[in-house]
Amino acid sequence: MPRIELTHVTKRWDKFYGVDDLNLVIEDNAFVTLLGPSGCGKTTTLRMIAGLETPTSGKITIGDQVVFDSESGINVPPNKRKVGFLFQNYALWPNMTVYQNISFGLTNIKEPRKLTKQEIDDIVHRVAKVVHISAFLDRYPAELSGGQQQRVAIARTLAPEPSVLFMDEPLSNLDAKLRLEMRSELQRLHLETGSTFVYVTHDQMEAMTLATKICLMENGVLQQYDAPLTVYGQPNNLFVADFVGNPAINFIEAKGAQNADGTVDVTILDGRKATFTPKGSLSLKEWYAQADAAAAEKERLHAEKAARKGYVEKSNKDTVFRYHVARVDDEEDTGEEGTLTDEDLVIGVRPEFLELSENGAMEGEIYSAMPTGMETTVKVRVGNFLLTGVVFGGVLYQIGQKVRLDFRGDDVVLFSRRNGRIITQGSLRIQ
Ligand SMILES: Nc1ncnc2c1ncn2[C@@H]1O[C@H](COP(=O)(O)OP(=O)(O)O)[C@@H](O)[C@H]1O
Ligand SMILES: [Mg+2]
């Protein structure tokens, strides 16, 4: 079973960079999801690995085979890359039975030799069993439900035993309940087949629940490549923090400097004093020095690249993500950043870290409450700001009800506002 490696892979159309200098190692037997907003380069990445799209530059290896290398002119055709596909539009052949749909690809296999009728029959029955469609082999697609059709499509893809399986939003045509069901089927399939799965989705929940690792992209650029819970808990930057998680993370603007004991005294939410205590040891000064040095080095490398012959300037420029601070009157967000200093911070608080209790340190007022049975999503108004929280159980809150709140735990995230990057995690206490 192969491991897939992308080295400096770029795909551009004229000045538009669909995928920009992507470095990625997909480990053998991984279930990697390519996640990001529409147009960020997920499908292009997948198609390049599969051989359906030719990169502008870079190198791709699958197992020990170099399948693409712009420098040495290697470009292995898709049918020689031993990969399987499952696309969003998985059209089954309507005039063929389920059995014929699954076996069709197998009858076309010629290398290393043609399969016998018996071998094909065995394979069809085996994969049909895996996706629970053994009872429908004689039916036509029109006689199946959407979910059953989807499973036939999966069986058809699995039949030639691809060691790598690519899926591009394969569940997007299904209703919510079926999607959930198919998700767990896919998870099981991944274990049973031992194949490497690469799965494209724009649905962060799908990416979170299925993946062993999430590759989160934006504007063709890799933002973070980590296990789902790492992406959720320690997002590399404000964009990642915002993209992953539902309800979304709360961004609280903060201003403050570090004390000798390592804590950071900050002013948040219109003049409220709070203390951020880093989880580990932190020197903000050193952190900024390192971040600035890294940024300068990146700039230098970019200038070096730009000076090379044939370089094309990226027209779809990368910008620092503009986070949104929820306010009761949203107009106040003027969009003006002003000059930011090292004291300008953003604190990210996941909804589950908002703790409502009788003796919380800060006063707020219930702005809205949405109970789903298992949990209740509340928006709490603090001054002009709105903070989103999730409370477990069917708690009934009245709109306008006064509540008191704290920030729970030590996984609150501290970001630099200047460069949008994560500094550290820690606890946030109202003074
Ligand atoms: N053949 C093409 N010519 C020009 N631009 C393209 C082409 N294919 C894709 N793009 C652009 O590249 C970007 C990435 O596309 P894609 O990988 O399909 O995004 P997604 O993440 O939604 O799958 C998009 O902005 C898209 O418009
Ligand atoms: Mg796509």
Side-chain angles (χ1 to χ4, degrees):
M1 294 295 130
R3 148 189 203 275
I4 300 167
E5 187 164 353
L6 282 74
T7 317
H8 296 299
V9 171
T10 293
K11 176 69 189 181
R12 63 172 175 79
W13 291 276
D14 196 15
K15 290 177 180 170
F16 182 90
Y17 282 65
V19 174
D20 187 1
D21 196 23
L22 180 61
N23 291 293
L24 193 68
V25 173
I26 297 170
E27 296 296 344
D28 175 28
N29 203 16
F31 195 143
V32 168
T33 50
L34 304 182
L35 174 68
S38 178
C40 73
K42 307 178 294 290
T43 296
T44 305
T45 301
L46 195 68
R47 287 171 56 84
M48 287 193 293
I49 306 173
L52 300 171
E53 193 83 70
T54 308
T56 310
S57 58
K59 183 176 169 185
I60 301 173
T61 57
I62 300 181
D64 49 17
Q65 187 188 25
V66 177
V67 293
F68 181 84
D69 188 355
S70 54
E71 297 214 327
S72 53
I74 296 172
N75 193 4
V76 177
N79 59 344
K80 297 269 160 41
R81 293 192 185 189
K82 295 193 186 82
V83 295
F85 297 99
L86 191 59
F87 289 111
Q88 184 172 347
N89 299 309
Y90 53 85
L92 299 173
W93 291 291
N95 56 336
M96 289 188 195
T97 62
V98 169
Y99 187 100
Q100 289 164 334
N101 263 285
I102 300 173
S103 64
F104 185 73
L106 297 172
T107 57
N108 282 334
I109 292 178
K110 298 196 175 62
E111 283 172 34
R113 59 171 179 80
K114 272 185 85 68
L115 297 173
T116 65
K117 234 177 147 155
Q118 185 59 51
E119 282 171 328
I120 291 175
D121 193 60
D122 288 346
I123 295 173
V124 172
H125 281 97
R126 189 171 47 75
V127 296
K129 205 166 149 193
V130 173
V131 297
H132 303 297
I133 50 165
S134 301
F136 314 126
L137 287 175
D138 294 330
R139 290 205 200 169
Y140 287 88
E143 298 165 332
L144 300 173
S145 73
Q148 288 161 345
Q149 289 181 24
Q150 188 102 47
R151 279 186 269 170
V152 175
I154 293 176
R156 184 175 65 179
T157 312
L158 288 175
E161 300 189 347
S163 52
V164 185
L165 187 51
F166 293 133
M167 289 171 277
D168 193 348
E169 316 228 7
L171 306 185
S172 52
N173 295 340
L174 303 181
D175 64 58
K177 189 154 175 267
L178 205 52
R179 200 152 61 219
L180 215 62
E181 211 169 282
M182 286 308 299
R183 263 188 219 161
S184 60
E185 294 284 328
L186 282 176
Q187 205 168 44
R188 215 173 41 85
L189 270 177
H190 174 242
L191 278 179
E192 282 172 15
T193 57
S195 304
T196 303
F197 280 24
V198 187
Y199 188 101
V200 166
T201 180
H202 66 275
D203 180 337
Q204 54 99 12
M205 195 59 88
E206 201 157 278
M208 285 292 290
T209 49
L210 283 175
T212 53
K213 254 178 153 180
I214 292 178
C215 166
L216 180 48
M217 299 171 70
E218 158 69 346
N219 199 34
V221 180
L222 178 65
Q223 304 291 318
Q224 187 157 6
Y225 183 48
D226 271 316
L229 291 180
T230 310
V231 175
Y232 184 81
Q234 288 142 263
N236 274 349
N237 56 45
L238 292 166
F239 171 81
V240 176
D242 184 64
F243 195 81
V244 171
N246 184 23
I249 194 167
N250 295 289
F251 288 126
I252 302 172
E253 286 178 349
K255 200 165 178 86
Q258 192 168 29
N259 301 310
D261 67 356
T263 60
V264 185
D265 281 333
V266 288
T267 308
I268 57 171
L269 304 169
D270 263 342
R272 286 175 175 79
K273 301 281 178 213
T275 304
F276 178 88
T277 307
K279 220 171 181 175
S281 73
L282 167 78
S283 160
L284 257 184
K285 205 169 155 223
E286 262 171 48
W287 185 87
Y288 270 108
Q290 270 172 22
D292 290 343
E297 173 64 8
K298 206 172 144 195
E299 195 107 313
R300 195 188 63 75
L301 286 174
H302 180 78
E304 206 177 275
K305 212 160 111 181
R308 269 184 229 147
K309 218 177 102 208
Y311 174 77
V312 176
E313 190 68 34
K314 187 176 185 179
S315 64
N316 47 319
K317 294 257 173 283
D318 298 309
T319 52
V320 174
F321 173 73
R322 279 303 307 255
Y323 56 91
H324 177 74
V325 176
R327 289 184 179 88
V328 177
D329 54 340
D330 254 343
E331 291 120 75
E332 269 193 39
D333 204 347
T334 57
E336 303 263 325
E337 275 289 47
T339 311
L340 298 175
T341 71
D342 292 358
E343 293 200 352
D344 288 302
L345 306 162
V346 177
I347 296 174
V349 179
R350 291 282 177 202
E352 62 272 28
F353 301 155
L354 204 70
E355 184 168 29
L356 305 191
S357 66
E358 277 173 16
N359 38 24
M362 189 166 64
E363 190 181 69
E365 183 185 305
I366 298 291
Y367 184 78
S368 70
M370 288 172 283
T372 65
M374 189 171 68
E375 66 201 13
T376 303
T377 301
V378 289
K379 282 193 194 293
V380 183
R381 177 180 182 154
V382 176
N384 219 0
F385 296 90
L386 289 176
L387 298 175
T388 302
V390 173
V391 183
F392 280 93
V395 191
L396 285 180
Y397 290 102
Q398 304 292 328
I399 308 283
Q401 177 187 340
K402 297 270 188 264
V403 288
R404 301 202 65 86
L405 52 146
D406 290 300
F407 301 106
R408 176 190 289 141
D410 56 2
D411 288 322
V412 167
V413 191
L414 186 67
F415 297 95
S416 153
R417 222 176 125 182
R418 197 148 70 68
N419 60 26
R421 292 182 45 202
I422 184 173
I423 299 172
T424 188
Q425 291 173 292
S427 64
L428 181 63
R429 232 187 27 254
I430 302 288
Q431 287 169 8

Coordinates of all heavy atoms in Angstrom, one line a residue, residues 329-405:
D329 N -24.7 45.5 17.1 CA -24.8 46.4 15.9 C -23.6 46.2 15.1 O -22.5 46.7 15.4 CB -25.0 47.8 16.3 CG -23.9 48.3 17.2 OD1 -23.2 47.4 17.8 OD2 -23.7 49.5 17.3
D330 N -23.8 45.4 14.1 CA -22.6 45.0 13.3 C -21.9 46.1 12.5 O -20.8 45.9 12.1 CB -23.0 43.9 12.3 CG -22.5 42.5 12.7 OD1 -21.6 42.5 13.6 OD2 -23.0 41.5 12.2
E331 N -22.5 47.3 12.4 CA -22.0 48.3 11.6 C -20.6 48.8 12.2 O -19.8 49.3 11.5 CB -22.9 49.6 11.6 CG -24.1 49.3 10.8 CD -25.4 49.5 11.6 OE1 -25.7 50.6 11.9 OE2 -26.0 48.5 12.0
E332 N -20.4 48.7 13.5 CA -19.2 49.2 14.1 C -17.9 48.6 13.5 O -16.9 49.2 13.6 CB -19.2 48.9 15.6 CG -19.9 50.1 16.4 CD -19.6 50.0 17.8 OE1 -18.5 49.6 18.2 OE2 -20.5 50.3 18.6
D333 N -18.0 47.5 12.8 CA -16.9 46.9 12.2 C -16.5 47.7 11.0 O -17.1 47.5 9.9 CB -17.2 45.4 11.9 CG -15.9 44.6 11.8 OD1 -14.8 45.2 11.7 OD2 -16.0 43.4 11.7
T334 N -15.6 48.7 11.1 CA -15.4 49.6 10.0 C -14.4 49.0 9.0 O -14.3 49.5 7.9 CB -14.7 50.9 10.6 OG1 -13.5 50.4 11.3 CG2 -15.6 51.6 11.5
G335 N -13.8 47.9 9.3 CA -12.9 47.3 8.4 C -11.5 47.9 8.4 O -10.6 47.5 7.7
E336 N -11.4 49.0 9.2 CA -10.1 49.6 9.3 C -9.2 48.9 10.3 O -9.6 48.7 11.4 CB -10.3 51.1 9.7 CG -11.2 51.9 8.8 CD -10.4 52.7 7.8 OE1 -9.3 53.2 8.2 OE2 -10.9 52.8 6.7
E337 N -8.0 48.5 9.9 CA -7.2 47.8 10.8 C -6.2 48.8 11.6 O -5.8 48.5 12.7 CB -6.3 46.8 10.1 CG -7.0 45.4 9.9 CD -7.2 44.6 11.1 OE1 -7.6 45.2 12.2 OE2 -6.9 43.4 11.1
G338 N -5.9 49.9 11.0 CA -5.0 50.8 11.7 C -3.6 50.2 11.8 O -3.3 49.2 11.1
T339 N -2.7 50.7 12.6 CA -1.4 50.1 12.7 C -1.4 49.2 13.9 O -1.8 49.6 15.0 CB -0.3 51.2 12.9 OG1 -0.5 52.2 11.9 CG2 1.1 50.6 12.8
L340 N -1.1 47.9 13.7 CA -1.1 46.9 14.7 C 0.2 46.8 15.4 O 1.3 46.8 14.7 CB -1.6 45.6 14.2 CG -3.0 45.6 13.6 CD1 -3.4 44.3 13.0 CD2 -4.1 46.0 14.7
T341 N 0.2 46.6 16.7 CA 1.5 46.4 17.4 C 1.5 44.9 18.0 O 0.5 44.2 17.9 CB 1.6 47.4 18.5 OG1 0.7 47.0 19.6 CG2 1.4 48.8 18.1
D342 N 2.6 44.6 18.7 CA 2.7 43.3 19.3 C 1.7 43.2 20.5 O 1.4 42.1 21.0 CB 4.1 43.1 19.9 CG 5.1 43.0 18.8 OD1 4.7 43.0 17.6 OD2 6.3 42.8 19.1
E343 N 1.1 44.3 20.9 CA 0.1 44.2 22.0 C -1.3 43.9 21.4 O -2.2 43.7 22.2 CB 0.1 45.5 22.7 CG 1.4 45.8 23.5 CD 1.2 46.8 24.6 OE1 0.1 47.4 24.7 OE2 2.1 46.9 25.4
D344 N -1.5 43.9 20.1 CA -2.8 43.6 19.6 C -2.9 42.1 19.4 O -2.2 41.5 18.6 CB -2.9 44.4 18.2 CG -3.1 45.9 18.4 OD1 -4.1 46.2 19.1 OD2 -2.3 46.6 17.9
L345 N -3.9 41.6 20.1 CA -4.1 40.1 20.1 C -5.5 39.8 19.8 O -6.4 40.7 19.9 CB -3.7 39.6 21.5 CG -2.3 40.0 22.0 CD1 -2.3 39.8 23.6 CD2 -1.3 39.2 21.3
V346 N -5.7 38.5 19.4 CA -7.1 38.0 19.3 C -7.2 36.8 20.1 O -6.3 35.9 20.1 CB -7.5 37.7 17.8 CG1 -8.9 37.1 17.7 CG2 -7.3 38.9 16.9
I347 N -8.2 36.7 20.9 CA -8.4 35.5 21.7 C -9.5 34.7 21.1 O -10.6 35.2 20.8 CB -8.7 35.8 23.2 CG1 -7.5 36.6 23.8 CG2 -9.0 34.6 24.0 CD1 -7.6 37.1 25.1
G348 N -9.3 33.4 20.9 CA -10.3 32.5 20.3 C -10.9 31.6 21.4 O -10.1 30.9 22.0
V349 N -12.2 31.7 21.5 CA -12.8 30.9 22.6 C -13.9 30.0 21.9 O -14.9 30.5 21.3 CB -13.5 31.8 23.6 CG1 -14.3 31.0 24.7 CG2 -12.5 32.7 24.3
R350 N -13.7 28.7 21.9 CA -14.7 27.8 21.4 C -15.9 27.9 22.2 O -15.9 28.1 23.4 CB -14.1 26.3 21.4 CG -13.0 26.1 20.5 CD -13.4 25.9 19.1 NE -12.3 25.7 18.1 CZ -12.5 25.9 16.8 NH1 -13.6 26.3 16.3 NH2 -11.5 25.7 16.0
P351 N -17.1 27.7 21.6 CA -18.4 27.8 22.3 C -18.5 27.0 23.6 O -19.0 27.4 24.6 CB -19.4 27.4 21.3 CG -18.8 27.7 20.0 CD -17.3 27.4 20.1
E352 N -17.8 25.8 23.5 CA -17.9 24.9 24.7 C -17.1 25.4 25.9 O -17.2 24.9 27.0 CB -17.6 23.5 24.4 CG -16.2 23.2 23.9 CD -16.1 23.4 22.3 OE1 -16.9 24.2 21.8 OE2 -15.2 22.7 21.8
F353 N -16.3 26.4 25.6 CA -15.4 27.0 26.7 C -16.1 28.1 27.5 O -15.6 28.7 28.4 CB -14.1 27.5 26.2 CG -13.3 26.4 25.5 CD1 -12.3 26.8 24.6 CD2 -13.4 25.1 25.8 CE1 -11.6 25.8 23.9 CE2 -12.7 24.1 25.2 CZ -11.8 24.5 24.2
L354 N -17.3 28.5 27.0 CA -18.1 29.6 27.7 C -18.9 28.9 28.7 O -19.7 28.0 28.5 CB -19.0 30.2 26.6 CG -19.5 31.6 27.0 CD1 -18.3 32.6 26.8 CD2 -20.6 32.1 26.0
E355 N -18.7 29.3 30.0 CA -19.3 28.6 31.1 C -20.3 29.6 31.7 O -20.0 30.6 32.2 CB -18.3 28.2 32.1 CG -18.8 27.4 33.3 CD -17.8 26.7 34.1 OE1 -16.7 27.3 34.2 OE2 -18.1 25.7 34.7
L356 N -21.6 29.1 31.7 CA -22.6 29.9 32.4 C -22.9 29.4 33.8 O -23.1 28.2 33.9 CB -23.9 29.9 31.6 CG -23.9 30.3 30.1 CD1 -25.3 30.4 29.5 CD2 -23.1 31.5 29.9
S357 N -22.8 30.3 34.8 CA -23.1 29.8 36.1 C -23.6 31.0 37.0 O -23.5 32.1 36.5 CB -21.9 29.2 36.7 OG -20.9 30.2 36.9
E358 N -24.1 30.7 38.2 CA -24.7 31.8 39.0 C -23.6 32.7 39.4 O -23.9 33.9 39.6 CB -25.4 31.1 40.2 CG -26.8 30.7 39.8 CD -27.4 29.9 41.0 OE1 -26.9 30.0 42.1 OE2 -28.4 29.2 40.7
N359 N -22.4 32.2 39.7 CA -21.4 33.1 40.2 C -20.2 33.4 39.3 O -19.1 33.6 39.7 CB -20.9 32.6 41.6 CG -20.8 31.1 41.6 OD1 -20.7 30.5 40.5 ND2 -20.9 30.5 42.7
G360 N -20.5 33.4 38.0 CA -19.5 33.7 37.0 C -19.0 35.1 37.2 O -19.6 36.0 37.8
A361 N -17.8 35.4 36.7 CA -17.1 36.7 37.0 C -17.7 37.9 36.1 O -17.5 39.0 36.5 CB -15.6 36.6 36.7
M362 N -18.4 37.5 35.1 CA -18.8 38.6 34.1 C -20.3 38.5 33.9 O -20.9 37.4 33.9 CB -18.0 38.4 32.8 CG -18.2 39.5 31.8 SD -16.9 39.2 30.5 CE -17.4 37.7 29.8
E363 N -20.9 39.7 33.8 CA -22.4 39.6 33.6 C -22.7 39.7 32.1 O -22.0 40.4 31.3 CB -23.1 40.8 34.3 CG -24.6 40.6 34.3 CD -25.3 41.7 34.9 OE1 -25.4 42.8 34.4 OE2 -25.9 41.4 36.0
G364 N -23.7 39.0 31.7 CA -24.2 39.0 30.4 C -25.7 38.8 30.3 O -26.4 38.7 31.4
E365 N -26.3 38.8 29.1 CA -27.7 38.7 29.0 C -28.0 37.8 27.8 O -27.3 37.9 26.8 CB -28.2 40.1 28.7 CG -29.7 40.2 28.6 CD -30.1 41.7 28.1 OE1 -29.7 42.6 28.8 OE2 -30.8 41.8 27.1
I366 N -28.9 36.9 28.0 CA -29.2 35.9 26.9 C -29.8 36.7 25.7 O -30.8 37.4 25.9 CB -30.2 34.8 27.4 CG1 -29.6 34.0 28.6 CG2 -30.7 33.9 26.2 CD1 -28.5 33.1 28.2
Y367 N -29.2 36.6 24.6 CA -29.6 37.3 23.4 C -30.5 36.3 22.6 O -31.5 36.7 22.0 CB -28.4 37.7 22.7 CG -28.7 38.5 21.4 CD1 -29.0 39.9 21.5 CD2 -28.6 38.0 20.1 CE1 -29.2 40.6 20.4 CE2 -28.8 38.7 19.0 CZ -29.1 40.1 19.1 OH -29.3 40.8 18.0
S368 N -30.1 35.1 22.5 CA -30.9 34.0 21.8 C -30.5 32.7 22.4 O -29.4 32.5 22.9 CB -30.7 34.1 20.3 OG -29.4 33.6 20.0
A369 N -31.4 31.8 22.3 CA -31.2 30.4 22.9 C -31.8 29.4 21.9 O -33.0 29.5 21.6 CB -31.7 30.3 24.3
M370 N -31.1 28.4 21.5 CA -31.6 27.4 20.5 C -31.4 26.0 21.1 O -30.3 25.5 20.9 CB -31.0 27.6 19.2 CG -31.5 28.9 18.5 SD -30.6 29.2 16.9 CE -29.1 29.9 17.6
P371 N -32.4 25.5 21.8 CA -32.2 24.1 22.3 C -32.4 23.1 21.2 O -33.4 23.2 20.4 CB -33.3 24.0 23.4 CG -34.3 25.1 23.1 CD -33.7 26.1 22.1
T372 N -31.6 22.1 21.1 CA -31.8 21.0 20.1 C -32.1 19.7 20.8 O -32.3 18.7 20.2 CB -30.5 20.8 19.3 OG1 -29.5 20.2 20.2 CG2 -30.0 22.0 18.6
G373 N -32.2 19.8 22.2 CA -32.5 18.6 22.9 C -31.3 18.1 23.7 O -31.3 18.1 24.9
M374 N -30.3 17.8 22.9 CA -29.0 17.3 23.5 C -28.2 18.5 24.1 O -27.5 18.4 25.1 CB -28.2 16.5 22.5 CG -27.0 15.8 23.1 SD -26.3 14.7 21.8 CE -25.6 15.9 20.7
E375 N -28.3 19.6 23.4 CA -27.6 20.7 23.8 C -28.3 22.0 23.4 O -29.3 22.0 22.7 CB -26.2 20.7 23.2 CG -26.3 20.9 21.7 CD -25.1 20.4 20.9 OE1 -24.2 19.7 21.5 OE2 -25.0 20.8 19.7
T376 N -27.9 23.1 24.0 CA -28.5 24.4 23.7 C -27.4 25.4 23.2 O -26.4 25.5 23.9 CB -29.2 25.0 24.9 OG1 -30.2 24.0 25.3 CG2 -29.9 26.3 24.5
T377 N -27.6 26.0 22.1 CA -26.7 27.0 21.6 C -27.2 28.3 22.1 O -28.3 28.7 21.7 CB -26.5 27.0 20.1 OG1 -26.1 25.7 19.7 CG2 -25.5 28.0 19.6
V378 N -26.4 29.1 22.9 CA -26.9 30.4 23.3 C -26.0 31.5 22.8 O -24.8 31.3 22.6 CB -26.9 30.4 24.9 CG1 -28.0 29.6 25.5 CG2 -25.5 30.1 25.5
K379 N -26.6 32.6 22.6 CA -25.8 33.8 22.3 C -26.0 34.7 23.5 O -27.1 35.0 23.9 CB -26.2 34.5 21.0 CG -25.7 33.8 19.7 CD -25.9 34.7 18.5 CE -25.8 33.9 17.2 NZ -24.4 33.5 17.0
V380 N -24.8 35.1 24.1 CA -24.9 35.9 25.3 C -24.4 37.3 24.9 O -23.3 37.4 24.3 CB -24.0 35.3 26.4 CG1 -24.1 36.2 27.7 CG2 -24.4 33.9 26.7
R381 N -25.1 38.3 25.3 CA -24.7 39.7 25.0 C -23.9 40.2 26.2 O -24.3 40.2 27.4 CB -26.0 40.5 24.9 CG -25.7 42.0 24.6 CD -27.0 42.7 24.5 NE -26.6 44.1 24.2 CZ -27.3 45.0 23.5 NH1 -28.5 44.6 23.1 NH2 -26.9 46.2 23.4
V382 N -22.7 40.6 25.9 CA -21.8 41.3 26.9 C -21.5 42.7 26.4 O -20.8 42.8 25.4 CB -20.5 40.5 27.2 CG1 -19.6 41.2 28.1 CG2 -20.8 39.1 27.7
G383 N -22.1 43.7 27.0 CA -22.0 45.0 26.4 C -22.6 45.0 25.0 O -23.7 44.6 24.8
N384 N -21.8 45.4 24.1 CA -22.2 45.4 22.7 C -21.8 44.1 21.9 O -22.1 44.0 20.7 CB -21.6 46.6 22.0 CG -22.5 47.3 21.1 OD1 -23.7 46.8 20.9 ND2 -22.1 48.3 20.4
F385 N -21.1 43.2 22.6 CA -20.6 42.0 22.0 C -21.5 40.8 22.2 O -22.3 40.7 23.1 CB -19.2 41.7 22.5 CG -18.2 42.8 22.2 CD1 -18.0 43.8 23.1 CD2 -17.5 42.7 21.1 CE1 -17.1 44.8 22.9 CE2 -16.5 43.7 20.8 CZ -16.4 44.8 21.7
L386 N -21.4 39.9 21.2 CA -22.2 38.6 21.3 C -21.2 37.5 21.4 O -20.3 37.3 20.6 CB -23.0 38.5 20.1 CG -24.2 39.4 20.0 CD1 -25.0 39.1 18.7 CD2 -25.2 39.2 21.1
L387 N -21.4 36.6 22.4 CA -20.5 35.5 22.6 C -21.4 34.2 22.4 O -22.5 34.2 23.0 CB -19.9 35.4 23.9 CG -18.9 36.6 24.2 CD1 -18.4 36.5 25.7 CD2 -17.7 36.6 23.2
T388 N -21.0 33.3 21.7 CA -21.7 32.0 21.5 C -21.2 31.0 22.4 O -20.0 30.7 22.5 CB -21.6 31.6 20.0 OG1 -22.0 32.6 19.1 CG2 -22.5 30.3 19.7
G389 N -22.2 30.3 23.0 CA -21.8 29.2 23.9 C -22.7 28.0 23.6 O -23.8 28.1 23.0
V390 N -22.2 26.8 24.0 CA -23.0 25.6 23.9 C -23.1 25.0 25.3 O -22.1 24.8 26.0 CB -22.3 24.6 23.0 CG1 -23.1 23.2 23.0 CG2 -22.3 25.1 21.6
V391 N -24.4 24.8 25.7 CA -24.6 24.3 27.0 C -25.3 22.9 26.9 O -26.2 22.8 26.1 CB -25.6 25.2 27.8 CG1 -25.8 24.7 29.2 CG2 -25.0 26.6 27.8
F392 N -24.8 21.9 27.6 CA -25.3 20.6 27.4 C -26.6 20.4 28.1 O -26.8 21.0 29.2 CB -24.3 19.5 27.8 CG -23.3 19.3 26.7 CD1 -22.1 20.0 26.6 CD2 -23.7 18.4 25.6 CE1 -21.3 19.8 25.6 CE2 -22.8 18.3 24.6 CZ -21.6 19.0 24.5
G393 N -27.5 19.6 27.6 CA -28.8 19.3 28.2 C -29.8 20.3 27.7 O -29.5 21.3 27.0
G394 N -31.1 20.0 28.0 CA -32.2 20.9 27.5 C -32.4 22.0 28.5 O -33.5 22.1 29.0
V395 N -31.5 22.9 28.7 CA -31.7 24.0 29.6 C -32.5 25.1 28.9 O -32.3 25.4 27.8 CB -30.3 24.7 30.0 CG1 -30.5 25.7 31.1 CG2 -29.3 23.6 30.3
L396 N -33.5 25.6 29.7 CA -34.4 26.6 29.1 C -33.9 28.0 29.5 O -33.9 28.3 30.7 CB -35.8 26.4 29.4 CG -36.5 25.2 28.7 CD1 -38.0 25.1 29.2 CD2 -36.5 25.4 27.2
Y397 N -33.6 28.8 28.6 CA -33.2 30.2 28.9 C -34.2 31.1 28.4 O -34.8 30.9 27.3 CB -31.8 30.5 28.3 CG -30.7 29.8 29.0 CD1 -30.1 28.7 28.3 CD2 -30.2 30.3 30.2 CE1 -29.0 28.1 28.9 CE2 -29.1 29.6 30.8 CZ -28.5 28.5 30.2 OH -27.5 27.9 30.7
Q398 N -34.5 32.2 29.1 CA -35.4 33.3 28.6 C -34.6 34.3 27.9 O -33.5 34.7 28.3 CB -36.1 33.9 29.8 CG -36.9 33.0 30.7 CD -38.1 32.4 30.0 OE1 -38.7 33.0 29.1 NE2 -38.4 31.1 30.3
I399 N -35.1 34.8 26.8 CA -34.4 35.9 26.1 C -34.4 37.1 27.0 O -35.4 37.4 27.6 CB -35.1 36.3 24.8 CG1 -35.4 35.1 23.9 CG2 -34.4 37.4 24.1 CD1 -34.2 34.6 23.1
G400 N -33.2 37.7 27.2 CA -33.2 38.9 28.1 C -32.8 38.5 29.5 O -32.4 39.4 30.3
Q401 N -32.8 37.2 29.8 CA -32.4 36.8 31.1 C -31.0 37.1 31.4 O -30.1 37.0 30.6 CB -32.6 35.3 31.2 CG -32.2 34.6 32.5 CD -32.3 33.0 32.3 OE1 -33.0 32.5 31.4 NE2 -31.6 32.3 33.2
K402 N -30.7 37.6 32.7 CA -29.3 37.9 33.1 C -28.6 36.6 33.4 O -29.2 35.7 34.1 CB -29.3 38.8 34.3 CG -29.9 40.2 34.0 CD -28.9 41.2 33.5 CE -29.4 42.6 33.4 NZ -29.9 42.9 32.1
V403 N -27.4 36.5 32.9 CA -26.6 35.3 33.3 C -25.2 35.8 33.7 O -24.8 36.9 33.4 CB -26.4 34.3 32.1 CG1 -27.7 33.6 31.8 CG2 -25.9 35.0 30.9
R404 N -24.4 34.9 34.3 CA -23.0 35.2 34.6 C -22.2 34.2 33.9 O -22.5 33.0 33.8 CB -22.8 35.2 36.1 CG -23.7 36.2 36.9 CD -23.1 36.7 38.2 NE -21.9 37.4 38.1 CZ -21.8 38.7 37.9 NH1 -22.9 39.5 37.8 NH2 -20.6 39.3 37.8
L405 N -21.0 34.6 33.5 CA -20.2 33.7 32.8 C -18.7 33.8 33.0 O -18.2 34.8 33.5 CB -20.5 33.8 31.3 CG -20.4 35.2 30.6 CD1 -19.9 35.1 29.2 CD2 -21.8 35.8 30.6

